[in-house]
Structure formats: structure tokens, C-alpha cells
Amino acid sequence: MRRRRLIALVIAVTAIIAAFGFAVLAAHRVRGSAEQVSAAYFRAWREADVREMASLVDRPPADFVSRHLTFSEELHVEAIELRPGPVRSTGEETAEVTFTGTRSLRDFGPWPFTATLRLAVREREWKVVWTPETLHPLLKDGGTLDLAAFDGPPVELVTSEGDPIPRNSYAEAYLDRLRPEFDPAEEGLALVAAVPGRAEQRLMTRAPEPGTQRTTLSRPVQAAAARALDGVEDAAIVALRPSTGEVLAVADRLRDSRSAFHDLFPPGSTFKTITAAALLTAGLDPAAEVSCPAAYTIPFHRSFANAGRLDHGTLSFADAFAHSCNTTFVQEAVTRLEEEDLRETAEEWGFHRTLPTGVGGRCGALEDPVDLDWFGANAIGQGTVVASPLCMAAVAAAVRDGTWRPPRLLPAEVVRRVEGSAPPPPVTLDAGVVAALRDMMTAVVDHGTASRAGLPEGVSGKTGTAEVEGGPDHGWFIGYRDDLAFCVFVRHGGSGRSAALPITARFVNGL
């Protein structure tokens, strides 16, 4: 009986010891494994089950769920692929999994990344040790990832043919003034990484194609004008299409911030085109005989002389124009015209007008003279008369077309939007006056001041030399050929024949 009791006692004690040992062992056993937890975490991540992901994380931050959801929403993540590598032990109770992933972004497409998922035993259970770089490695050290809009490429100004503006075109000042008038077609978008204290980094960009705005510039005409001015300082060429007023070329190398569109200069004998129109309107026939002495004195007033004091004797009014007789034009103007006749004719041909080209512009001006001395000077483009090269190109275009048209550098509807005002209306000129001026400008090139200057057949025009107080003369030539009219201006370059005609020949022969 005693023996039995002893055996029972031993069995009981053994059971108690075994139970205690099991309890101790159970108390120290780690639940799960790194492999199981990492697999569950990646599975929940693929399924976008952020709350399940949070349950697998050791002490997840309070914004764990919102951070994941906001990250995907703000970056427009449409899908994610995760490719975990093997679990690697880094200690008795730590492990890590290197994984690659690809997020599909709505705005950029695939965005691959590589990161590390770290795990550790916490309170006898395997958990994910989460940090921001688990979501993406660039979030380390307070980094951020954002989508940022940026201005798209500026609108590209192109020729009327849709081609790029020729390089070294000498039109840059006008194009630079135009560009701010046109907003980029759309914004670009960038995926931007930023870390405090470091420069932002664009990871991916989506830049829109640059928009284009056609100008009226013609590629071959602009190129010819620019090359004609190579090596020439303080000069400009403006070319127009007479039938439309479109600016086909503006090559401007004027110094001192001068502009062929905005600045006014004495036009010299090119203004005789306007004076001739007034005299023709007053009844002077191109074939009428007139006097061209070397010098002419307005009775009781000042004297005027021809260039070189040349005496052409008696000749037709058309030939007086061809030889640019100052004395003829002064004498005929003071005897046949009133002050308002010259001013009204000039206004009919564009003077006293602003020119909304797209970059602005002015034509020309002349004040009513105080006496006959000033009136005589006005008649030959001196005195109070001033004009822009753009204005004088429009005068030549009006002779060619028979209608004065406001010049423009952009399509008409775009000019109205940019300038905020409508251009002045075209002016139909007297057909008889225009026909006579065409013959007279042809005579200038045939046997007048522009003869034997290397101009190709079909060019008609008018030379001009403008005296400038305190400096060398300005040289001018205005003309046309077919549906192309132009003005060549050389500031302080000398006479129209010596300064402007060689450039004109290079320009027209280069077309």
C-alpha cells in the first residue's frame, strides 16, 4: 500500500514538473516565422489591404493607413507589382527581404523601385519593422515624393511655311518681343523627389510637345535679308508682300537699340514718292517738261542744291524723279502745292498712323512747315519729315499693289488679339497716280540713280540720301519686284546709291 502511494506521488510530481516545463517552453515560443509574416505582408500589399498590412507591423505609426492611401492617390498609382526575394536571417531574431517592385503611374507608366522589408521578433511574435523607406527608399531621412506641374516649352515661332526661323536672322528682337504673347500649349508634369537640405530631383517627366505660332515671315526671304546684312552694321531690311501687307522679312542690325519698326528717321529722297503722288494729283504729268538746275532758290527764301550740284537742265518730270532732282521737287512743290496737300497725301500713304503689326510699329510724320524754307525741305524728305523703314517699305508696297495696306507680322486675327486693336483699314489709291509712280520707279533703276547697280530685271524703286545734323547721311532704297516690296536703310551709311544699293542687290539676287 505504501509502495503504491509512493508511485502515485512520483507520477504526480513528474506530471507537475512536465506541465511546468511545457508552460515555460510555451511561454518562450515565438509565434509565426519571418517567412510567413513577410509573405502575408506582401500579399496584403498587392491586394491594397492596408489595414491587414498594419496588423503585421510592430507599432505602426498612427498615420500608417492614411500615408499609404495618400501616397497612391497623390502619385496616381494604378497598380503595383511586388517581387520579393528570399528571407535572409540577420540575427537570432531579425531578418530581411530585399524586394523589387513596379508601380504603374497613370501619368508616367511603369516606375520600378528596389527596397528592403525588415522583420524582427517583438513580444514573441515575428513582425514587420516598418519605416517610410519600406514604402519607397526615397522617403528615407524625411524625403518626399510629389507630382509637380511645370511650364511647358514656350511656343515656337515659325515661318509662314511652318519652318523654323533661319538662324542668325537678325529678327530676334522682334521674335523675343512676340513670344511672351503666347502661353505654352499645356503644362508639363514631373515626379519630384526632395530631401531636406538637398536639391530637388526630377525622376520622371512628361513634357508636352511645344506649340507653334506661324508668323508671316518667309523662310527664303528672311534668309536672303539676313545674309545681305552679314558684315554690315547699323542697317535694316524690311520686306512686305504688297497684296496682303504681310511682313516677309525683318533683318535689323540697327545700333543703339534702334528699331526698324518703331524709330523714325529722315527718309530723304525716298519721300519724293509721296511728293510725286501729291504733284501728280495736282495735275503735273509725268511727261511734262520741268527744270532741274544745279541749285534753286525759293524767291526770298533759302537755296536748295542737287547731290553733287549736278545740272540736268530741262527734262521730263518722270526723269527728274529718276535722277532725284532736289531742285525740281522743291520748285514744283512750292508753286503747285499747299501745305495740306503734302500732309494729306502723306497720310493717305500711311503717315501719322500707328501700325499694329503684332509687335507694334509707327509709320511716319511730318509737321506743317512754318515757312517755305521748311516746306521745300519737307518736299525732299528733310525738314520735319521722319519715317520708319517699315513705313517706307509699306509705301513701296502700295505703289506695287495700288492699295496701301497696314503691315503685320502675324495673322490678322492674332494681331487683333495681341495688340488689342484693329489695324487701320486699307486705302485704295488713285489708279492713275499709282500707274505713273510705277513707271517713274522703273525709270530710277533703268537710267536713274539706281542704274547699273547690279539689280536683277524687274526691280523698280527709289534711292534716298538723308542729311543728318551732326553725323553722316542716312542711305535708303525702297523698291519692289513682283509681289515683294522692301526697304533697305543704312543709318549714317552715306548715300542711298553707295550704302543701300549694294545691300539691295545682295538681298534681291539672293532670293
Side-chain angles (χ1 to χ4, degrees), residues 452-463:
R452 300 182 302 280
L455 297 177
E457 185 178 352
V459 174
S460 300
K462 181 70 186 77
T463 56

PDB file of all heavy atoms in Angstrom, residues 452-463:
ATOM      1  N   ARG A 452      22.647 100.486-113.243  1.00  0.00           N
ATOM      2  CA  ARG A 452      23.961  99.827-113.217  1.00  0.00           C
ATOM      3  C   ARG A 452      24.440  99.530-111.788  1.00  0.00           C
ATOM      4  O   ARG A 452      25.612  99.658-111.452  1.00  0.00           O
ATOM      5  CB  ARG A 452      25.008 100.665-113.951  1.00  0.00           C
ATOM      6  CG  ARG A 452      24.674 100.907-115.428  1.00  0.00           C
ATOM      7  CD  ARG A 452      25.771 101.698-116.131  1.00  0.00           C
ATOM      8  NE  ARG A 452      26.005 102.995-115.495  1.00  0.00           N
ATOM      9  CZ  ARG A 452      25.263 104.080-115.677  1.00  0.00           C
ATOM     10  NH1 ARG A 452      24.221 104.038-116.500  1.00  0.00           N
ATOM     11  NH2 ARG A 452      25.573 105.208-115.070  1.00  0.00           N
ATOM     12  N   ALA A 453      23.495  99.107-110.956  1.00  0.00           N
ATOM     13  CA  ALA A 453      23.830  98.801-109.555  1.00  0.00           C
ATOM     14  C   ALA A 453      23.763  97.307-109.265  1.00  0.00           C
ATOM     15  O   ALA A 453      23.849  96.898-108.111  1.00  0.00           O
ATOM     16  CB  ALA A 453      22.881  99.542-108.611  1.00  0.00           C
ATOM     17  N   GLY A 454      23.601  96.499-110.301  1.00  0.00           N
ATOM     18  CA  GLY A 454      23.552  95.054-110.101  1.00  0.00           C
ATOM     19  C   GLY A 454      22.194  94.517-109.703  1.00  0.00           C
ATOM     20  O   GLY A 454      22.088  93.364-109.284  1.00  0.00           O
ATOM     21  N   LEU A 455      21.151  95.342-109.847  1.00  0.00           N
ATOM     22  CA  LEU A 455      19.807  94.868-109.518  1.00  0.00           C
ATOM     23  C   LEU A 455      19.278  93.981-110.636  1.00  0.00           C
ATOM     24  O   LEU A 455      19.465  94.287-111.822  1.00  0.00           O
ATOM     25  CB  LEU A 455      18.858  96.057-109.316  1.00  0.00           C
ATOM     26  CG  LEU A 455      19.199  97.001-108.159  1.00  0.00           C
ATOM     27  CD1 LEU A 455      18.228  98.173-108.131  1.00  0.00           C
ATOM     28  CD2 LEU A 455      19.179  96.256-106.835  1.00  0.00           C
ATOM     29  N   PRO A 456      18.606  92.883-110.300  1.00  0.00           N
ATOM     30  CA  PRO A 456      18.089  91.994-111.346  1.00  0.00           C
ATOM     31  C   PRO A 456      16.912  92.631-112.071  1.00  0.00           C
ATOM     32  O   PRO A 456      16.305  93.599-111.609  1.00  0.00           O
ATOM     33  CB  PRO A 456      17.664  90.752-110.570  1.00  0.00           C
ATOM     34  CG  PRO A 456      17.380  91.235-109.192  1.00  0.00           C
ATOM     35  CD  PRO A 456      18.333  92.365-108.945  1.00  0.00           C
ATOM     36  N   GLU A 457      16.597  92.067-113.205  1.00  0.00           N
ATOM     37  CA  GLU A 457      15.485  92.576-114.012  1.00  0.00           C
ATOM     38  C   GLU A 457      14.188  92.492-113.224  1.00  0.00           C
ATOM     39  O   GLU A 457      13.943  91.542-112.492  1.00  0.00           O
ATOM     40  CB  GLU A 457      15.377  91.761-115.307  1.00  0.00           C
ATOM     41  CG  GLU A 457      14.326  92.291-116.277  1.00  0.00           C
ATOM     42  CD  GLU A 457      14.273  91.498-117.566  1.00  0.00           C
ATOM     43  OE1 GLU A 457      15.163  90.626-117.755  1.00  0.00           O
ATOM     44  OE2 GLU A 457      13.372  91.746-118.384  1.00  0.00           O
ATOM     45  N   GLY A 458      13.358  93.504-113.400  1.00  0.00           N
ATOM     46  CA  GLY A 458      12.051  93.516-112.760  1.00  0.00           C
ATOM     47  C   GLY A 458      11.991  94.332-111.488  1.00  0.00           C
ATOM     48  O   GLY A 458      10.916  94.524-110.910  1.00  0.00           O
ATOM     49  N   VAL A 459      13.131  94.839-111.001  1.00  0.00           N
ATOM     50  CA  VAL A 459      13.138  95.654-109.788  1.00  0.00           C
ATOM     51  C   VAL A 459      12.861  97.102-110.147  1.00  0.00           C
ATOM     52  O   VAL A 459      13.444  97.651-111.086  1.00  0.00           O
ATOM     53  CB  VAL A 459      14.495  95.549-109.059  1.00  0.00           C
ATOM     54  CG1 VAL A 459      14.545  96.520-107.871  1.00  0.00           C
ATOM     55  CG2 VAL A 459      14.729  94.123-108.581  1.00  0.00           C
ATOM     56  N   SER A 460      11.965  97.725-109.409  1.00  0.00           N
ATOM     57  CA  SER A 460      11.704  99.161-109.513  1.00  0.00           C
ATOM     58  C   SER A 460      11.892  99.753-108.123  1.00  0.00           C
ATOM     59  O   SER A 460      11.695  99.064-107.115  1.00  0.00           O
ATOM     60  CB  SER A 460      10.281  99.421-110.001  1.00  0.00           C
ATOM     61  OG  SER A 460      10.066  98.851-111.271  1.00  0.00           O
ATOM     62  N   GLY A 461      12.265 101.037-108.062  1.00  0.00           N
ATOM     63  CA  GLY A 461      12.475 101.579-106.730  1.00  0.00           C
ATOM     64  C   GLY A 461      12.867 103.031-106.720  1.00  0.00           C
ATOM     65  O   GLY A 461      12.756 103.747-107.719  1.00  0.00           O
ATOM     66  N   LYS A 462      13.337 103.490-105.559  1.00  0.00           N
ATOM     67  CA  LYS A 462      13.743 104.886-105.374  1.00  0.00           C
ATOM     68  C   LYS A 462      14.860 104.946-104.349  1.00  0.00           C
ATOM     69  O   LYS A 462      14.750 104.386-103.260  1.00  0.00           O
ATOM     70  CB  LYS A 462      12.564 105.738-104.892  1.00  0.00           C
ATOM     71  CG  LYS A 462      12.920 107.208-104.697  1.00  0.00           C
ATOM     72  CD  LYS A 462      13.168 107.874-106.030  1.00  0.00           C
ATOM     73  CE  LYS A 462      13.674 109.303-105.879  1.00  0.00           C
ATOM     74  NZ  LYS A 462      15.117 109.334-105.505  1.00  0.00           N
ATOM     75  N   THR A 463      15.947 105.622-104.717  1.00  0.00           N
ATOM     76  CA  THR A 463      17.045 105.843-103.785  1.00  0.00           C
ATOM     77  C   THR A 463      16.717 107.024-102.877  1.00  0.00           C
ATOM     78  O   THR A 463      15.856 107.855-103.188  1.00  0.00           O
ATOM     79  CB  THR A 463      18.348 106.152-104.534  1.00  0.00           C
ATOM     80  OG1 THR A 463      18.119 107.271-105.395  1.00  0.00           O
ATOM     81  CG2 THR A 463      18.815 104.965-105.349  1.00  0.00           C
TER      82      THR A 463
END
